[in-house]
Amino acid sequence: MKNKLIVTLTTVKGSRQYTLNQVARVLVPAFLLMAVLSFFVSNALLVKTTDDLSILEEDHQLLADQYETVLGTQQLYVSELNQLSSTLELLQQENYRIGELNASLDESLGGLESMLGLPASDSYTPEQAEVLKATAAQRLFLLHNIPNGVPIQGTRMSDRFGMRTHPVTRKRSMHNGVDFAASRGTDVYATADGVVEFSGRQSGFGKLVIMQHSFGFKTYFAHLDKLNVEAGDLVAKGQLIAQSGNSGRSTGPHLHYEIRRLYTAIDPAPFLKWNIANFDTIFTDVTSVKWASLRKMYPLNQAAVQLPSSLKETDSPET
């Protein structure tokens, strides 16, 4: 009799015996079934886990992308904020600079007002500034075209306009200009823009320069030593035109200076002191000129003036 392994199961209902083969025939299929089930379940779990892992990886990548986007946006915001801060700082500097310019402009306009002899203002609008500039430009235009200022520097006036005893003839006669005592060779300058009508020698006047200016004015420079301009030359105010001397009918080195308008001699004295600050004075000091007609051409700020008849020109040589 072969040896057999017998398994005995005892219950309240009795005992039953099973051989190993019988147990194996039951357990092996059960084991195989469990193994198969475990395989499929494991595969299913593995697939699900793999899917979940892929989803997690995708979520991770999405979060990483979103993080980079947020980080980039934040950096952009920081960059824009820095740029805005720089722009604000520039605007503040520009505003400060504009404030300084406005203050400087107000100061300049105040100086211009003072120079023009106008009442001072506390502040200036763009319209006021334009009026001031236009007024200054107009005055400068007329001061460049009508004789004004002295024709020779560093000298004294030795004889005035009017009736006098002629120093050579010893007779009473009209002196049509003013004389400036000056050493020979002292520079003589044009008192307004114009054109040279005559440059040469003329009896009595000696070496003479005659200039034509706007609005019918002429200037005469006599008893010169050297002539620096020729007839037909265009000359600017302040340009060197000659040097003083003692030529012609003269008792000593000096400059004889005349202003004429429409061939009539005018006292040069008011024109010698006429400038941009006392601009209006010429219209009342010189009554022999019909300023009203000039006023129609230019809106001059002048007082009403009386206009007596003009004096007639005398062409006799002066000293």
Side-chain angles (χ1 to χ4, degrees), residues 99-157:
E100 288 185 328
L101 287 176
N102 286 337
S104 177
L105 180 60
D106 284 351
E107 184 176 349
S108 299
L109 291 174
L112 182 58
E113 251 182 354
S114 176
M115 183 177 65
L116 295 175
L118 301 175
S121 302
D122 295 331
S123 60
Y124 302 91
T125 64
E127 292 76 13
Q128 287 175 305
E130 289 300 319
V131 169
L132 283 174
K133 289 192 293 183
T135 302
Q138 181 192 90
R139 292 189 179 187
L140 288 174
F141 170 76
L142 293 175
L143 288 169
H144 269 272
N145 286 276
I146 299 175
N148 64 93
V150 294
I152 192 167
Q153 300 295 326
T155 61
R156 63 179 178 84
M157 188 184 298

Side-chain angles (χ1 to χ4, degrees), residues 281-300:
T281 59
I282 198 72
F283 307 120
T284 53
D285 291 346
V286 179
T287 58
S288 60
V289 175
K290 295 182 179 181
W291 299 112
S293 58
L294 184 62
R295 187 177 185 179
K296 294 178 181 178
M297 298 173 60
Y298 301 95
L300 303 175

